[in-house]
C-alpha cells in the first residue's frame, strides 16, 4: 500500500516593516512567506522550513546561515503549529530582535 505524505504549510505574508526599540527601521516592503513542512506525523518530527521561507528571509537581507536559523526556530516551535497569528508574531519578534545586517536591493 502506498503511503501518502501530507504537506501542511502555513503561508503568511508578513510586511517587512519593523521597529527596533523606539526608532523605526526603514526596511523596504518585502513579503515573507512563513512556509513550514509538517510531514505526515502529528508529532513534531520532520518540521522544517521550506526553501521559499529561507529564501524570503535572504531576500529581505539576512545571510543564509541566519535566515536558516530563524526559519528552523520558527518551524520547530510546537506552540506555533496551527496558529498563523502566533506564528506571525513570533517571526516578527525574532526579526525585530535580530535584524538583518544588510538589506538586499531588488
Amino acid at each position: 500500500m502506498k503511503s501518502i505524505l501530507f504537506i501542511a504549510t502555513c503561508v503568511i505574508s508578513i510586511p517587512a516593516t519593523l521597529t527596533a526599540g523606539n526608532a523605526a527601521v526603514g526596511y523596504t516592503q518585502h513579503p515573507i512567506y512563513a512556509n513550514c513542512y509538517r510531514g505526515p506525523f502529528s508529532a513534531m518530527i520532520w518540521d522544517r522550513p521550506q526553501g521559499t521561507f529561507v529564501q524570503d528571509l535572504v531576500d529581505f537581507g539576512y545571510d543564509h546561515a541566519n535566515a536558516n536559523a530563524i526559519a528552523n526556530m520558527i518551524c520547530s516551535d510546537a506552540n506555533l503549529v496551527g496558529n498563523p497569528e502566533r506564528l506571525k508574531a513570533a517571526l516578527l519578534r525574532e526579526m525585530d530582535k535580530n535584524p538583518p545586517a544588510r538589506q538586499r536591493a531588488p
Side-chain angles (χ1 to χ4, degrees):
M1 177 165 38
K2 290 185 178 181
S3 61
I4 299 173
L5 297 180
F6 293 99
I7 299 174
T9 59
C10 183
V11 180
I12 300 173
S13 175
I14 300 174
T17 302
L18 306 174
T19 58
N22 294 329
V25 177
Y27 298 127
T28 60
Q29 290 292 323
H30 177 80
I32 295 172
Y33 298 95
N35 187 355
C36 301
Y37 173 73
R38 181 86 176 119
F41 307 104
S42 59
M44 297 281 300
I45 297 173
W46 295 104
D47 294 48
R48 61 181 177 264
Q50 296 287 59
T52 54
F53 185 11
V54 175
Q55 188 58 49
D56 283 347
L57 289 170
V58 169
D59 290 344
F60 184 69
Y62 288 96
D63 58 46
H64 279 282
N66 285 319
N68 200 33
I70 290 171
N72 273 306
M73 183 177 53
I74 295 298
C75 288
S76 63
D77 188 343
N79 294 322
L80 305 179
V81 174
N83 192 331
E85 287 303 313
R86 190 179 292 172
L87 187 141
K88 178 180 175 180
L91 179 57
L92 288 173
R93 190 171 43 254
E94 189 58 35
M95 290 173 68
D96 196 32
K97 269 192 336 191
N98 302 304
R102 60 178 167 65
Q103 181 70 31
R104 183 180 287 192

